[in-house]
Amino acid sequence: MSYAQKPVQCLCAALSLALLVITLAAGCAATGPSAGSPAAPGSYQVVATGPGDVDLITPRALAAIARADIVFCEPRQQEQLEAFLSFDGKQVLAGYGVIFPYYGRDCATVPTDQPSRWSMSCEQFQEKQADFVARVRAAVAAGRHVVLLSGGDPTIYGPAMWSLHALADLNPGVVPGISAFNAANAALQVRLGEVVLTAPFQRPDRKDTLENFAGNDQATLVIFMPREMPAMLQRLQAAYPAETPAAVVVRAGHADREKVIVGTLADIGERLDPAEANMSLFYLGRSLNTAQYRPAKTADARKGRFYLLGMGPGDADLASLRALAVIEKADLIFARQRLQERFSAHLEGKQVLDGYHRLFPFYGRDCAAVTASERSRERMSCEQYQTKQAEFAAMVRAAVAEGKTVALLDSGDPMIYGPNAWTLTELADLPTEVVPGLSALNAGNAALATGVTEGKNSHSVILASGWTVERMAAYQATMVLFTMRTEFKTFIDALAKHYPPHTPVAIVQSAGYAEREKVLRGRLDTILAEMDAGRLPFEYLLYVGDFLEGRSQW
């Protein structure tokens, strides 16, 4: 991929915001209490560092690390991060990254006559967990700031979430990050709507199994941790049509080592290396027919390139360093007004055009076949949209032909309900690249400070909208609903048909905005009476599932 061919030094010019935030954080840490004064409150945070290369970290995460007195991380993480911040004066502790197994379990009930994939016994893991908890408690009590670094999004099958339960009385936090899922979406260049995030669990008494999800051909199945790939493929082939589109993304987020394999369920197994299973995400579903992934060709420095940039939700410090670096080198940028204001420091002196956001309606349609009802829902006519689409494409083509770098800025993850994903289809003949963005999903998960895949009755997560909520609710998995102007009562009524009345629910408003983010919690049977749904903003997510009660065992 083209970005990976640039040395790390190319990021430097794009780090003005990151370095400013880090400097301020370090300054705040340095102005601690004077001798003899009470110790300032300490803190504990799990900090997401993103998947793959270090440039997928955010300035907010870097600032949290810069502020920390104690950093739990592995030597390789520290080595990569030292390109952007100093660890001088920090206590760095390794060996605590994956110690969640058997947390909360009675070791006497753990079978000892069965093979285990873990390197330590239940007792050894619990001893390590107790050591970690004691260290964090002592540090926080002394007014020190402690962070545990976690790759990807720690709330999605992350190994650090047990610590939030163990240290719940310290009011721990999560700094959100880009997940392997976001990075894999970008690699595939596929627009996703309904999605099921799951793993190859074998629990016949549950509704969220791979086999049961086969009953819904609208959603895309995204499978984490497909360790036993041949066995998993056999299960899928027994439940899904052989011609179902399939894809595997290996080492998502590693620009120079990322690997994408596309095919069908019938033939993709022939192209897979079993040794890469642990580093893969497996995709299955009809949406893959629209994927614009194409094998990379040798880059020609004389040619331009079009980038679709995921800029994250909320505040500017949730954009990745990679996205900021692309802005720095871009010659022509398309960005709506709100994004221009948010990233004004990075856009200064750039050619920036507004008026080309959310042009997807009626793309590729015959306007004569568009119904009056469809036309009434949009702000422009079909003909006007298509004129604007052609205008945008012409400008991009002309700039790329001149060897220029063109970037279109989009909020969140541009591949999840993304209004600008159509541009990848339109510009498929050009060199295109998607820079993954942190989704509102990742920011909302962090606001809840809970592992969304850690439910008691389901370890799967369904991403759905107002158009599909009732159909997807039938699986009784954890649900994250992208509300997008749908009436709140519509969601509650649909969910009540499939979930018990006491099911926990949560609303995350303005996810990613440090000063405006708000979490409301309740139950499915009482949430309507407890809140004024008419005051909800456009930017809110609705979470449903018993994961909100917290998990006590791993």
Side-chain angles (χ1 to χ4, degrees), residues 6 23 41 61 67 89 156 300 323-324 344 377 397 520:
K6 303 291 183 182
T23 301
R67 178 173 179 254
I156 301 177
D300 186 340
L324 297 178
S344 59
R377 292 195 295 265
R397 291 183 190 285
L520 305 173

Side-chain angles (χ1 to χ4, degrees), residues 70-85:
I70 300 175
V71 181
F72 287 90
C73 71
E74 300 309 311
R76 179 169 174 78
Q77 289 176 303
Q78 179 180 348
E79 180 183 357
Q80 292 174 327
L81 289 168
E82 282 176 337
F84 308 113
L85 57 85

Side-chain angles (χ1 to χ4, degrees), residues 17 56-61 175-178 310-321 323-324 342-343 412 436-439 442-443 511-514 517:
L17 173 61
L56 288 182
I57 198 170
T58 67
R60 186 178 297 185
V175 176
I178 294 171
M311 302 306 297
D315 299 324
D317 62 353
L318 288 184
S320 72
L321 303 188
L324 297 178
R342 190 184 307 171
F343 294 97
L438 193 148
S439 168
N442 309 111
Y513 291 94
E517 192 174 75

